[in-house]
Amino acid sequence: MSIHGFPASAGTFISVAAPARSRLFLIGRDSALGSAETLTQVATISGPGERAQQLAAELNHAAWTGDRLRLAEIFTDLPDPVIQACERALDGCPEPTSLALGSDGKPMSVLRESIFANDPTDLAREANAAMDVSLQFLVENSIDEDGRIEFTAKLLSNEGQVAPGIVSDWWSPPQSELSERILPDPVDLVKAFSDSRWATNVARAHWLWIEDGGEIRDDITSATATWVVEFFDELLSPETNFRVFLQDDGLDEESRGFLTPRNRFLLWLSLWNIASDLDGNLAMEVESIVKDDMPTSVREQPRTWWSEMRASANRLCEAARLGEVSALEPRTVAEEALISLATRQSYIDWASDSFENSNYQEIFDSLPRSPYDEAWEEVLPDLTGDADVEMVWDHHLQGIGDPDDLTNKILGIGDYRPSAWHTKFARAQANGQ
């Protein structure tokens, strides 16, 4: 369950007594009114006020825990209209699994919500401070609109306590498999929040009093305050999170050809560097390595031309990350040139250099090996059927991009002039790409 919906605001039943009868109300929140609380009359109960108070208590127990056994006993002495009204109100309450129950058995409320921009140190300090004052602290990861990792944290109004062996029952898991649960000491919380999986997988953290399971004396159960950090196998926003490399492209080795998982991984990072370089040049007019490495015939093209070049780099980069091999087939001359540049050894080395500042080495090492790994000179021909675009870099073949050029005609190259670089090939147009 996402932290953005957890904990839900619990419904609370209360009774207001009068001399001969009592009124039963439900305090809740109307989603249409945002966070505004609402007070809704549920039923009128005749008789002593204690009867309505007991009913309200058992309704709360049922709403917060899902256990309606004790409530059923009370219903036996109530009129059918009252029972039906109570059941309707109860059915409208949030699911018990969406509530954060405190050690007193009552739902907690959110005191404060904070965003930590990928800062494990500050986050760990705030988290441990919450534990010190016995207030629950929930943490989950997310991606902001600019693609940056964020920690979202909520400070709750109480503390949670569970018996040993049922840690997972306090906060219901998301719809994915748990990969690993760790119980770090508070002093190791910075390390736990620095785990690379916070950037790639759905993850969360909270703390609980975990009962020791020993002998209970004087109704006191000993328990230990414990941090719980959980990583799930669900990828974190894979469609927008560039840190996630989708390893399974659904192809067998023969169909994959030279675009092996390891080659595709490095191609992805190489294209990412190219797209970032062009983005920096367009946004801040900083010097561009990519522009300087392009054929002299295109270096002085206008800003709009280079904006299309950046868009092509981003498209190819995303196709490489997601494993969409068919989408990696260049649709324009510009994309052929980008693949050619991205598979140069100097650009592959540039991609490999990024391993030092990320968790990429761990991902790369986990990828299967192939005899075709590092066969970079074969990647472009494998995707396009030829490497004609590389001739536009040859100073001895000036003008070869012009369809009227004699060599161009003999080789059947086509229009590789700068004005045609962003025009889709006929095959791409035919496929509606």
Side-chain angles (χ1 to χ4, degrees), residues 8-292:
S9 179
T12 302
F13 292 88
I14 62 171
S15 64
V16 178
R21 64 182 60 86
S22 298
R23 290 183 178 181
L24 186 69
F25 293 91
L26 172 63
I27 300 175
R29 295 188 186 276
D30 190 331
S31 58
L33 300 176
S35 60
E37 286 190 339
T38 60
L39 181 66
T40 304
Q41 181 170 337
V42 177
T44 300
I45 314 296
S46 60
E50 291 80 3
R51 188 184 186 197
Q53 290 177 2
Q54 184 183 11
L55 175 60
E58 294 306 330
L59 283 167
N60 284 330
H61 176 78
W64 300 343
T65 67
D67 177 10
R68 299 193 182 191
L69 291 178
R70 298 189 319 209
L71 183 62
E73 295 178 5
I74 294 181
F75 277 173
T76 58
D77 295 330
L78 293 175
D80 287 344
V82 172
I83 295 173
Q84 293 168 5
C86 290
E87 288 179 336
R88 284 195 301 270
L90 197 56
D91 290 341
C93 292
E95 288 292 327
T97 53
S98 69
L99 306 177
L101 295 184
S103 56
D104 58 1
K106 297 179 180 179
M108 301 185 219
S109 58
V110 178
L111 301 179
R112 185 183 68 209
E113 182 171 345
S114 306
I115 300 293
F116 295 82
N118 198 17
D119 189 342
T121 303
D122 283 351
L123 178 61
R125 182 165 49 247
E126 289 286 329
N128 281 324
M131 175 188 272
D132 289 342
V133 295
S134 293
L135 294 179
Q136 182 56 264
F137 197 78
L138 309 178
V139 182
E140 194 174 61
N141 55 345
S142 60
I143 302 289
D144 71 8
E145 59 183 9
D146 295 319
R148 294 172 297 197
I149 297 294
E150 288 184 338
F151 293 103
T152 305
K154 286 183 178 178
L155 181 69
L156 304 189
S157 57
N158 202 343
E159 59 192 7
Q161 182 168 327
V162 297
I166 59 169
V167 172
S168 60
D169 292 349
W170 186 84
W171 185 355
S172 295
Q175 301 301 313
S176 54
E177 292 293 326
L178 178 69
S179 295
E180 185 180 11
R181 176 184 292 119
I182 60 176
L183 308 177
D185 290 331
V187 294
D188 294 327
L189 207 51
V190 173
K191 180 180 178 181
F193 286 140
S194 300
D195 192 296
S196 60
R197 287 172 291 183
W198 285 97
T200 58
N201 290 71
V202 171
R204 67 187 191 186
H206 59 293
W207 72 273
L208 292 168
W209 287 105
I210 299 180
E211 297 170 6
D212 296 334
E215 182 181 356
I216 300 177
R217 296 181 179 179
D218 300 325
D219 294 328
I220 298 176
T221 302
S222 69
T224 303
T226 307
W227 277 104
V228 181
V229 179
E230 297 172 319
F231 299 100
F232 298 89
D233 65 1
E234 181 181 347
L235 295 175
L236 179 65
S237 305
E239 296 302 323
T240 57
N241 184 2
F242 70 87
R243 300 164 187 81
V244 175
F245 177 77
L246 302 189
Q247 300 185 22
D248 185 8
D249 55 20
L251 299 176
D252 56 30
E253 188 167 333
E254 183 177 352
S255 301
R256 194 179 290 121
F258 292 96
L259 207 62
T260 69
R262 295 169 77 87
N263 285 351
R264 182 166 63 84
F265 185 84
L266 287 169
L267 177 61
W268 163 54
L269 292 181
S270 182
L271 288 164
W272 172 260
N273 287 337
I274 289 174
S276 298
D277 175 276
L278 293 175
D279 189 61
N281 176 261
L282 289 167
M284 298 175 285
E285 298 186 356
V286 296
E287 185 177 349
S288 171
I289 297 173
V290 174
K291 273 190 177 183
D292 290 343

